[in-house]
């Protein structure tokens, strides 16, 4: 008979986002009922490699439901299979998985709940192959994990974008300007698409649909002819014009994904001003989208994910990730979860509805 699960490790990997604490709470509160203890691992996989952790009990998670960030700390640089070390002034990459196995055994863990996005799930999958019992919980404002209908954190980010667009609307219309809002999302356009629709953007530019500059200018002229002397453009950080490359801030080999995106908003604003003659401004929302209190939707989703993942552990469902399917949380294999990125498709209802209310994708 399989060994009973008595002790669970929990970590938060990758970029922080609203709802992480709600998941930690959702894992820790029911643990007692399962006769389990919970060990919180600090700073994502970094703490797992370096052996940094603390016990979590009811008191530690009380009052954290509405708090942004993560009480455990997080990092997008702690991949145990790709661990950068400085030697003789040069950065070399080492494999530190043996540290992970050693700590997992020393802490007497029976399972590990890894809360994170695409990068965290890839590492979780590899740790499973090393014999660790890993369960995944899908986090990311980007909403780009294909095996779940929604990741937690996305709704909170969309709320920020929508509110920002509402606020910028008034300046854009009072000053007859174009305002470009750059949002996050990496290689997926979900934040721009959902935030743009919710905030009434006139143009939404996303990585999945390379845009034509002429179509972008045409939309602004079209609105001008209709007497609408302002426009709001919501551009995803990964969006690119036809034949052009994504705009990068830097390449950092210490990160799980070395590419740091950013800067496209400025490029779009400059081109619009130059080619339409309209005064144009840019606002980069950046980490505002990852901060603050989770929306009620994210609090509920995160709590469900947390409680469900500890149930999965009790049933020995390892190598699985909690996933929203319709209105129910189910489980899928982590391998399935990382097989493909979830990207916006052109022939979907959301895109056609956006077009039907006059939004241009520059295509
Ligand atoms: O994956 C979440 C995310 O916020 C992306 O949307 C963005 O590209 C990236 O993380 C930013 O990472 P960092 O905070 O490390 O700059």
């Amino acid at each position: 008979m399989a060994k009973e699960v008595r002790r669970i490790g929990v970590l938060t990997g990758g970029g922080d986002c609203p709802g992480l604490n709600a998941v930690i709470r959702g894992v820790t509160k029911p643990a007692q009922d399962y006769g389990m203890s919970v060990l919180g691992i600090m700073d994502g996989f970094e703490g797992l490699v370096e052996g940094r952790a603390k016990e979590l009990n009811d008191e530690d998670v009380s009052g954290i439901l509405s708090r942004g960030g993560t009480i455990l700390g997080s990092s997008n640089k702690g991949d145990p299979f790709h661990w950068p070390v400085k030697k003789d002034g040069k950065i070399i990459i080492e494999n530190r998985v043996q540290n992970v196995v050693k700590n997992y055994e020393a802490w007497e863990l029976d399972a590990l709940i890894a809360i994170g996005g695409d990068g965290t799930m890839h590492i979780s999958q590899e740790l499973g192959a090393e014999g660790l019992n890993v369960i995944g919980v899908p986090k990311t404002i980007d909403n780009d994990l294909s095996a779940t209908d929604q990741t937690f954190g996305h709704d909170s980010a969309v709320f920020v974008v929508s509110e920002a667009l509402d606020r910028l609307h008034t300046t854009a219309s009072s000053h007859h300007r174009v305002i470009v809002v750059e949002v996050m999302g990496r290689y997926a356009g979900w934040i721009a698409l959902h935030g743009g629709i919710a905030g009434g953007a006139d143009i939404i530019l996303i990585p999945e649909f390379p845009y034509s500059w002429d179509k972008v200018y045409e939309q602004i002229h079209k609105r001008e002819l209709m007497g609408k002397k302002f426009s709001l453009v919501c551009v995803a950080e990964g969006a690119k014009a036809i034949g052009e490359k994504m705009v990068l801030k830097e390449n950092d080999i210490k990160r799980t994904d070395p590419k740091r995106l950013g800067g496209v908003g400025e490029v779009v604003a400059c081109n619009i001003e130059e080619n339409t003659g309209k005064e144009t401004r840019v606002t980069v929302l950046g980490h505002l989208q990852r901060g603050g209190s989770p929306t009620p939707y994210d609090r509920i989703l995160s709590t469900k994910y947390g409680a469900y993942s500890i149930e999965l552990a009790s049933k020995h469902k390892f190598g699985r990730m909690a996933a929203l399917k319709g209105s129910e949380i189910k489980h899928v294999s982590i391998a399935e979860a990382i097989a493909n990125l979830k990207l916006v498709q052109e022939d979907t209802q959301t895109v056609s509805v956006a077009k039907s209310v006059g939004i241009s994708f520059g295509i």
Side-chain angles (χ1 to χ4, degrees), residues 76 140-142 184-186 237 255 260 287 290:
N76 49 20
T140 168
I141 60 166
D142 306 337
M184 285 183 164
R186 263 191 341 154
E237 60 182 358
R255 297 163 61 95
R260 192 152 80 84
H287 294 87
R290 294 216 317 239

Side-chain angles (χ1 to χ4, degrees), residues 37-84:
S37 63
V38 181
L39 185 75
I41 294 153
M42 308 308 294
D43 302 327
F45 292 104
E46 269 184 29
L48 194 57
V49 170
E50 292 170 348
R52 292 183 286 112
K54 66 172 182 194
E55 297 296 326
L56 287 181
N57 54 43
D58 237 49
E59 238 167 66
D60 298 301
V61 297
S62 147
I64 67 169
L65 172 65
S66 60
R67 225 198 288 164
T70 158
I71 58 164
L72 295 176
S74 193
S75 169
N76 49 20
K77 292 186 180 159
D79 183 348
F81 299 93
H82 190 93
W83 188 267

Side-chain angles (χ1 to χ4, degrees), residues 115-187:
I115 310 167
D118 185 45
T120 300
M121 293 310 141
H122 271 95
I123 297 168
S124 300
Q125 173 72 1
E126 290 182 76
L127 290 179
E130 298 288 333
L132 269 63
N133 296 329
V134 190
I135 289 164
V137 176
K139 164 235 73 163
T140 168
I141 60 166
D142 306 337
N143 200 31
D144 58 358
L145 282 172
S146 61
T148 181
D149 288 355
Q150 187 136 339
T151 55
F152 75 85
H154 178 66
D155 188 62
S156 303
V158 167
F159 182 81
V160 172
V161 175
S162 157
E163 200 193 4
L165 284 166
D166 283 350
R167 287 174 187 271
L168 293 165
H169 200 141
T170 53
T171 302
S173 80
S174 306
H175 288 264
H176 314 302
R177 285 177 178 164
V178 175
I179 297 193
V180 177
V181 182
E182 179 184 314
V183 306
M184 285 183 164
R186 263 191 341 154
Y187 312 116

Side-chain angles (χ1 to χ4, degrees), residues 1-5 316:
M1 218 172 87
K3 186 174 170 261
E4 215 177 319
V5 176
H316 295 237

